[in-house]
Structures are given as structure tokens and as C-alpha cells.
Amino acid sequence: MYSVAQLVEYTSSLFQQGFLDDQFNQLQLLQDESNPNFVVEVVTLFFEDAEKLLNQLEKEIGQENNIDFKRVDALVHQLKGSSSSIGAQRVQRVCIAFKNYCEEKNVEGCFKSLQDIKQEYTLVKTKFETLFKMEQQIFAAGGSAPR
Amino acid sequence: MMNLSNNGKGSISTVTSTATTMKSGEGSDQFPAGLRVLVVDDDPTCLMILEKMLRTCLYEVTKCNRAETALSLLRENKNGFDIVISDVHMPDMDGFKLLEHIGLEMDLPVIMMSADDGKSVVMKGVTHGACDYLIKPVRIEALKNIWQHVVRKKKNEWKDTEQSGSADEGDRHPKASDDADYSSSANEGNWRNSRKRRDDEEEGDDRDDSSTLKKPRVVWSVELHQQFVDAVDQLGIDKAVPKKILELMNVPGLTRENVASHLQKYRLYLRRLSGVSQHQNNSFLSPQEASFGTISSMNGLDLQTLAAAGQLPAQSLATLQAAGLGRSTVKSGLPMPLMDQRNLFSFENPRLRFGEGQQQLLNGSNNKPTNLLHGVPTNMEPKQLANLHQSAAQSLGNMNMRVPASATQGNPLLMQMAQSQPRGPMLSENTGSHVPRLPNLLGQSTVSNGISDGLMGRNNMASSSRAPSFNPVPQSSSFLNFPMNQSTEMSVSNFPLGSTPGISSITTKGSFQAEVNSGIKGSAGFPSYDIFNELNHQKSRDWGMTNQGLMYDSSSHANPLHGNIDVSPSVLVHQGFSSAQQTGHSRDASLLGKSPFSLGEGLEQGNLQNGGGQHFNPLYVENLTRVKAERVPDASSHTDLFPDHFGQDDLMSALLKQQEGIGQGENEFDFDGYSLDNIPV
């Protein structure tokens, strides 16, 4: 059973490690009683979207020497936009690097970036899941009284 | 003549004050609440966030994820929206194209947004007539003030009406001297007035140019536009003056001003297209388009020069220009002479002769058709015109970027564009390392972009060491800051987010047209801001500031948690502006900030103002604690977590006190080992 303090601490660590940035705070601010699960919903949406993008990226990069850099760039751009919107900072940064490689048509760079992005995505997803789990436990333990 | 005592609405107040005093009562008094926003973005995550943010700003939001849908919506609800926010990169239609459509057909203000902050893309927004450009991730502060674009546009249209009697020849864009004296109440009045008129009267009736009040917005349907183009054609683009066009068109109810403003846009289009056309690749043209125009009907020696240069298929130019309007079956090309166009196209170096410039461009460019439309289908589908237009728009971006450096001596703007890499138009992401320091188009974000792009481009971000990988934090913050910078100073008092009474009055929405409604949740949710309301009341009503007030620099801890991530303390630049205001709050915040942390060192730096940027927001915790208040006693069982600095109860009480916004909470905290002295207040 998690405590609020643990949750707080964990969240803070995510910020410190760069998994989250201030944009995530913005999301939290948007959450209110009319949208009590806003953050979870948005982040979940992000996961779905990101996974689709990553799959497509795999496919494109898998072309190896025939990479359609424009297409890859467009995909990465999308991922960059959505990751930045939820504050997934590290993912966003890899996207930026990835875009640079696309621009340079650097195949090896793209390969590497793809790996990085997958890794970062998996990491941040795990972090979020933990975060939400903690949150959920804390709330569940006490019922859901509004105040 | 300025008619300030406009429409009989009793309450005249400045826009600002009306915005902040949410009187219940007539909807329009609550401007800008209820502003009808259409937001278009193919990214579902962003769309959801934007919608929520806009709702939080008390706007009426309609969202869609496709440009085509957006256009249909707009066409069906001619007066249904006040402003449009659109992403730049969308699969089904380029955002800029959508922008142009909207400008021509509905004349609504459009804000572009993108994760792409490259100068050329932003420039494209400008040239295509966007009234603003937001960089993602968009912060709520940036959205709070979008109403200004609505007001501004109304104001300009109003002046348009004013000009009707005086201007006959040409359509100089009305910039009356009254302009300067325009008070905001007039603006607001006009806004209200025009809305009222729209609500009361339908389009199509009286469009008098009685110079009294607002003119209702004309919707330029395809047919109407076609009539317009025919008229212009007939007159010849040089001689096409609004009055004569109006006569030729012979559309009842259409006013000279309507025609004038439409003509202006049309001319802008043509300019753009002719600038683009040299780059245009024939593959975009279908055989049908070729029937559109002949070069002979084109005005402009330069065009023929270009054509003769062999680089420019004459027909394609005409076609493009025709097609660029999006839909018309223009028989002949009718651009203004290129000379004129060039002069009017203000971004070009006057010394750059269009002809030679083009030569160089054409020679120098590796113009692959696919480059122009990355990410966008280039097949000529039923939307051939759409594509053409789009590609025209894209090519323009290309051209801008490819202007050779040699031709741009005088013009710093051009120089930048020249030196940005000739990638596809959308790929202007990392221009930082290549582009010389711009006159700061993007404010501070440009500078830091330049720095950090270089860093970030070369770094593997994944490491959590205290690597330079975190130095770019300023950059990402500046991403975030960019929209903030625009709006920060204004945002402080303008936003009555917290006021419940005002919110409940929104629910009536009496005077606002109901929208095609992708689930505007009504205002049901609004009254329940609760904790945030309270907090915001105590602090300033500025979201960003609320954040900052509660932020602290946790990176100063010697991190028992993990390896040392050295988040740069300078990051949250935007905190700086509020530092003065934060004083009172910082104390609370600092204490609050300390409480959840089991670390012995206090916040020596305290550093709320310069706090490391990305910190978790204790508000979040409060959100939890608020819900879980009654759990507090139980939570104490978990004190084992904390080395004995303070118990869980202390934590809870601290948070709760914070929630109540009580400054004196500090007296009740009893932190062992903390010294309050270090906290800058």
C-alpha cells in the first residue's frame, strides 16, 4: 500500500530524471472534479498513439537502405508533438535527435534513434504505470469521497 | 466615424474588465468566455489536451481531427465559430492550406500550431495569413488570450466599413487614422455587436455599407468566388477595383467592402502562387488543369521571361495560380505583374530580381516533387485543386528557403531562410546550428533553440548522468515558454478562472449559438474547480504562476534517490516575471515544497524563483489529499517511510494548509533540521 508521500516522492523523482517536465504539471492542473481522470486518460491516449507510431517507424526503418526519411520524419514529428504535450521529456528529446538524423539522411543514426526511442518510451510507460498504480491504490484504499 | 456608443448594450467596459468580472447575465458581457473555438489536430493526445485547456478558459470548443471535417463544419455553420486553431502537419490536408481556405471562405482568424518551431514554418504561417503561431506543447496561458485575435479582426473589418465611402480606386487596406484611438470598448462593442447582428439577422440580408455598425461576415462560397474571379478576369487584374467588381458581379447585398477585402486576399494568394510557381513541379498538375489558363492572358513580362527560361511551364503557372484559389475554374491566369508581386511580397530582398532569383533557384534546386509534400499524399485525387494549392503553398516555403545567399545581402530575414537547409518545407526543426542569429522572431526561444539544438542533436538523452543532456532543458523550457512569453504579461488578471458565480452564468450561454457540438460538456464541469479555484484565488489567477509558486528546486538535494541529475536552475525563465508576486506565496510554497521530502537538507537554495524547472507540482498532491482528507489519520501508519523528520500527519496538514492557502501555516510546521533562513522570500 502506497502512501501519498511515496507517491509524491516518486513523482518528484520522475521530474528529476527528466522523464517528466513541466508540461505534465499543466496536465495535472487541468484535472478537476469534472475530469477526475483526465491525466490518466490523456496519457493512455498517448500510449495508444505512440505505439502505433512506433510500429510504423519500425516498418519504415526496417527498409534499411531504402528508408523514406520524409515519412520517418513525419512520424517522429508526430511523436514529438504528442510526447511533448504530456510532458514526456526524454521521449521528446530523442525525437528531436531522430529528426536530425532524418534530415541528414543518416541511416545509422536513425537506427540508433529508433532503439533509443523505443527504450525511452518503454521506460516512461513503465513510470507512468507505476505512478497511476500508486495513485489508484491510495485512492482506492479510502474510497472516493470528494473532500 | 467611430461609433463607440454602439449597440445599445448598457454595459460598456474595457475588454479587460469585462473579462475579469464574470457578471452573470448576458453572455456577451462575459467575453471572452464563450468564444467559439474550432480546434483541428490529427494528434489525439494534443487534441484532447487542447480541448480541455480551452474549456478551462471557458471557451466553447469544438474539436476535429481532420482538416476536411473542419472545413465542412465551418462551411455548414457559417457564423458558428469565432476562431480556429489548427495544427500545421496533418495527413489529409496541410494546415496552411486549411488556413488559406478559411481565410478566403470564412474570414476567420486562424492560429497555427506545431511542434515545429523552425523559422521558415513560422514564416509560412505569417505569409499565409495566420494571426498567430503557437509552438507545441501549448500551455494554457497561450490560449487564454486568443480572443484578442477575434477582436482585432473585428476591429479591422469595422474600419473596412468606414472606408467604404472614401476609397474608390483600388483597395487599400483600411488603416484609418481612427485606428489609433480605438478603445478596447469599441472593440468589444463591435464584437458583441457583430455577434448580435449575426444572431439576429441571417446572412444575406442587409449588407449595407451604412457606416454605422459592423457588417455581417460574408461567406464566399464557391459560386460567389467564381463570380468574383470572373469579374476580376474581365476587368483585368490591374483594373479590378472593388467598385467595378461589385458591379460586374451584381450580387444583391454584397458590399464594396466585402469585395475589397476579398480582393485583397485574392491578391495575396496570387502573389504567393506566382512566387511559388517556378518551383512547382508539373507532376502535380493533371491534364485538366492545363485547360485552365494560357500564358498569354497572363500579365507580366517576367512570367514570360521565366517561362522562356524554360524552367517554368507557362501553363502550370497559370494553372497554379488559378487553382491556388482552391476551387475556381478560372479561365485565365490573372496574376499581377510579377514586378508588383515581388514588391508587395515584403519578405523578399528588393534587390533580388525575381527573374534571376528564379533562375538561380531553379538551377540550384534539386527539386524533387516528393520533397514538397512530405507526409502528404501527392496523388491527384478529386481534390486536385486542393493539392495544387497545397503544393503551391509548400513550394513557397521551399522557395523561401532556397533563396541563394548571394541574393540576400540586404535582407537578414532572407538570409536566414537562405541558409536554412533546403529540406522539405516542414523540416525546419533544427535550424539552430545553421541559421545565423535572427532578429528575434521567436523571442527568447530562438536563442536557446540555437544553443540547445546543437546540444540536443548530438546527445543521447537517455543517460541520466549529469550530462549535458540536461543542459538543453532551457531549450525545452523555452519551447514551453514561447507561448507563455507571448501571453504571460497579459495573463495575470485576465482570467477569471476561479470565479464560480461567473462560471455558473456561463451555463446559460444564452447568446451564444449552440454549436455543432462535439461534446461540449457544457459547463457542468466548470463550477467544480474547487481546490484549484481556491488556490488560484489566493495566488494570482495565473495558472503558470500557481505552478511556479509551488515549485521548488528539488535538485538541490543530494539526491539519495538517484544519480545526480543536474537540472539547470535557470530553466523556468517564465518564473522570473512573477517573482515579485511570488514573494508572498513562495513562503507557503517553499514550506510545502519541503514537506514531502524526506531529505534532510532543506531547500537551501529555496529557489522558487529560479527553481529547477521540472518539478512535480504539489498541487497534484493536493489533488490527492483533497480527495483523501479523511485518510489522513490512517496515513500516519506509513510514517515509517520517512526518516523521522516529520510524520505523515505533518505532511498532510501541511498540504491541507497549503490547500487552504493559508500563509501562516509556516508557523505550525515543525521541521526538524530545516532552516527557514535559506529560503528566499
Side-chain angles (χ1 to χ4, degrees), chain A residues 33 144-147, chain B residues 529-532 534 625-630 659-660:
Chain A
E33 282 184 352
S144 53
R147 262 206 183 228
Chain B
Y529 272 143
D530 275 314
I531 173 184
F532 291 128
E534 292 170 11
T625 58
R626 172 171 62 81
V627 177
K628 303 315 306 167
E630 59 277 14
Q659 167 183 340
E660 295 158 25

Side-chain angles (χ1 to χ4, degrees), chain B residues 507-519:
Chain B
T507 61
T508 63
K509 290 203 178 82
S511 59
F512 301 133
Q513 295 181 9
E515 278 327 319
V516 169
N517 208 305
S518 65

